[in-house]
């Protein structure tokens, strides 16, 4: 059994480390990270307090699809940011690197459509994970938080069977996993949680708790949620009392900085196009207004470009 990790950054390296105990893993990632693993001869997994939990020696490594041209994998696990889904899959196609099944282990909505546009008729599985990971320095990954992973079939004749097969592999690798045959509801749910917390915390540079305790921020979060719930309903998904869930998550993670705020602080592109942007695109398809989602989407896009714009005009 062979698994390709397409986009071995934080979450990809973490899964690579666990999976390498039970299957043959190849990590495809950037030179600064993969090169260091190559030089040292191992990928190191650290606990949040810096202790070495695992040293992974037996993995294949690649920094471009051309290095693994012609290879066939049982599963290709896609762990790039949502906006890089099309480009990495196109590179794999052009390099004649193929999988029997593709597993998108990412946040956001719209990446499944991107994947199917590039790959055509393939077995596609969606994964949502609550594990947390980050790369403190090249060649190392911190397992920052333990959580559940849920898998569900999206497309393809054998997607259901492949979902069960991949769940078994994750279980053998000691990853807590559930199978949900209606994964779209969970994808929507997670997207709404992110849509309400991420842009507001990123624009205002506040920690997650601010969404609960600052009345004006809470007001905006509620508008984002209400709009999204209406779009989800048009999309055939009843999200129930997701409003309470959002504020419960924001309270539980009150001291955390959202991933979008962290991306913004590092000057990195955010996943907003696949969160509020995806909600707005679906709203437009159904003829629904989603003005607050659109406003925060555009504000975050403007902030992403602020540095270069300031350099251009001021
Ligand atoms: N980290 C977490 O704790 C966590 C938890 C749950 C879900 N997620 C989700 O998981 C996804 C990945 O997040 P992440 O934090 O792991 O991101 P990440 O650390 O940025 O990892 C993605 C890696 O893939 C690389 N990459 C992109 N295109 C590539 C290509 N064509 N060939 C080789 N490498 C390529 C990126 O390099 P460049 O940066 O140079 O493009 C980056 O190193 C996101 O959707 C995120 O929301 C993350």
């Amino acid at each position: 059994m062979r698994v390709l990790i397409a986009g071995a950054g934080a979450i990809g390296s973490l899964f690579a480390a666990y999976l390498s105990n039970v299957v043959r893993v190849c990590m495809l990632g950037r030179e600064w990270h993969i090169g260091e693993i190559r030089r040292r001869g191992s990928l190191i997994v650290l606990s949040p307090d810096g202790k070495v939990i695992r040293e992974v020696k037996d993995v294949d490594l690649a920094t471009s699809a051309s290095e693994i041209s012609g290879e066939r994998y049982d599963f290709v696990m896609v762990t790039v940011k949502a906006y890089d889904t099309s480009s990495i899959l196109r590179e794999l196609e052009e390099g004649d690197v193929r999988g029997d099944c593709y597993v998108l282990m990412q946040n956001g909505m719209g990446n499944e459509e991107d994947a199917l546009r590039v790959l055509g008729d393939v077995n596609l599985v969606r994964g949502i994970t609550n594990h947390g990971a980050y790369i403190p320095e090249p060649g190392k990954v911190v397992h920052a938080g333990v959580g559940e992973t849920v898998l569900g079939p999206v497309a393809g004749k054998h997607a259901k069977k492949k979902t069960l097969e991949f769940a078994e592999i994750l279980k053998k690798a000691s990853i807590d996993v559930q199978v949900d045959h209606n994964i779209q509801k969970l994808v929507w749910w997670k997207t709404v949680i992110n849509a309400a917390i991420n842009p507001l915390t990123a624009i205002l540079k506040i920690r997650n708790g601010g969404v609960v305790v600052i009345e004006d921020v809470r007001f905006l979060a509620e508008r984002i949620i209400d709009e999204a719930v209406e779009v989800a309903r048009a999309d055939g998904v009843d999200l129930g009392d997701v409003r309470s869930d959002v504020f419960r998550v924001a309270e539980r993670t009150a001291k955390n900085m959202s991933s979008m705020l962290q991306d913004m602080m590092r000057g990195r592109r955010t996943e907003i196009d696949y969160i509020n942007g995806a909600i707005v695109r679906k709203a437009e398809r159904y003829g629904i207004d989603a003005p607050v989602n659109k406003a925060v989407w555009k504000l975050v896009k403007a902030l992403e470009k602020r540095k270069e714009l300031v350099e251009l005009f001021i």
Side-chain angles (χ1 to χ4, degrees):
M1 181 71 67
R2 303 176 75 214
V3 175
L4 174 67
I5 306 289
I11 213 73
S13 298
L14 183 70
F15 274 87
Y18 280 82
L19 285 170
S20 65
N21 279 341
V22 294
V23 290
R24 188 79 207 164
V25 172
C26 177
M27 294 170 71
L28 168 62
R30 299 298 191 198
E31 171 58 31
W32 61 266
H33 183 50
I34 299 296
E36 182 56 29
I37 300 170
R38 216 174 244 150
R39 272 187 289 281
R40 195 180 32 229
S42 64
L43 161 72
I44 291 175
V45 185
L46 301 168
S47 63
D49 57 2
K51 292 200 182 81
V52 176
I53 312 176
R54 237 168 238 256
E55 204 176 341
V56 184
K57 294 199 163 129
D58 214 11
V59 280
D60 299 325
L61 302 166
T63 53
S64 73
S66 57
E67 280 176 48
I68 46 173
S69 183
E71 295 288 350
R72 296 290 175 265
Y73 295 90
D74 298 281
F75 292 93
V76 174
M77 191 167 164
V78 180
T79 54
V80 288
K81 298 277 194 182
Y83 51 77
D84 278 329
T85 307
S86 297
S87 59
I88 199 162
L89 292 176
R90 227 176 282 122
E91 279 173 39
L92 293 177
E93 287 287 288
E94 283 162 11
D96 187 28
V97 180
R98 300 225 155 76
D100 276 353
C101 176
Y102 293 78
V103 182
L104 302 185
M105 193 65 78
Q106 305 162 303
N107 283 331
M109 275 190 322
N111 30 350
E112 293 166 13
E113 288 82 352
D114 286 356
L116 291 172
R117 255 193 300 275
V118 176
L119 299 169
D121 183 19
V122 292
N123 295 309
L124 187 69
V125 170
R126 181 65 193 253
I128 294 284
T129 187
N130 285 326
H131 281 279
Y134 65 92
I135 296 185
E137 57 185 274
K140 297 183 177 173
V141 61
V142 173
H143 194 175
V146 179
E148 197 183 56
T149 299
V150 183
L151 295 178
V154 173
K157 230 192 309 177
H158 305 295
K160 278 190 179 169
K161 189 172 136 240
K162 294 287 174 190
T163 302
L164 297 174
E165 241 177 85
F166 199 62
E168 275 313 304
I169 295 172
L170 292 186
K171 264 184 213 158
K172 278 193 195 136
S174 307
I175 294 170
D176 184 11
V177 62
Q178 299 292 325
V179 169
D180 181 348
H181 289 285
N182 184 19
I183 191 89
Q184 290 315 326
K185 183 168 178 176
L186 184 63
V187 170
W188 252 112
W189 184 87
K190 184 126 196 220
T191 303
V192 175
I193 305 271
N194 286 331
I197 296 174
N198 279 6
L200 294 173
T201 54
I203 294 164
L204 296 164
K205 295 195 170 51
I206 53 174
R207 288 177 193 265
N208 292 359
V211 176
V212 186
V213 298
I214 306 171
E215 206 179 306
D216 296 314
V217 184
R218 193 182 172 104
F219 172 86
L220 288 169
E222 285 170 354
R223 299 290 81 72
I224 289 172
I225 300 162
D226 291 349
E227 290 173 10
V229 164
E230 199 189 338
V231 182
R233 204 175 294 124
D235 210 32
V237 173
D238 177 4
L239 287 172
D241 189 14
V242 66
R243 224 197 228 211
S244 307
D245 295 338
V246 168
F247 293 113
R248 211 173 302 123
V249 170
E251 251 165 16
R252 187 165 40 78
T253 59
K255 293 208 165 90
N256 294 4
M257 276 197 253
S258 70
S259 56
M260 196 172 284
L261 174 56
Q262 292 181 43
D263 282 340
M264 201 100 98
M265 285 167 59
R266 289 189 196 116
R268 289 191 64 176
R269 183 175 167 186
T270 72
E271 292 189 296
I272 192 85
D273 291 336
Y274 289 79
I275 303 174
N276 305 78
I279 292 170
V280 172
R281 282 192 297 278
K282 276 193 188 265
E284 284 168 356
R285 203 181 304 156
Y286 295 117
I288 296 168
D289 272 345
V292 184
N293 276 279
K294 193 163 190 171
V296 293
W297 174 29
K298 296 296 172 188
L299 276 169
V300 170
K301 292 310 286 180
L303 285 170
E304 281 177 4
K305 295 193 186 89
R306 185 169 54 175
K307 193 164 161 276
E308 55 193 86
L309 289 181
V310 168
E311 277 163 10
L312 261 180
F313 297 117
I314 298 175

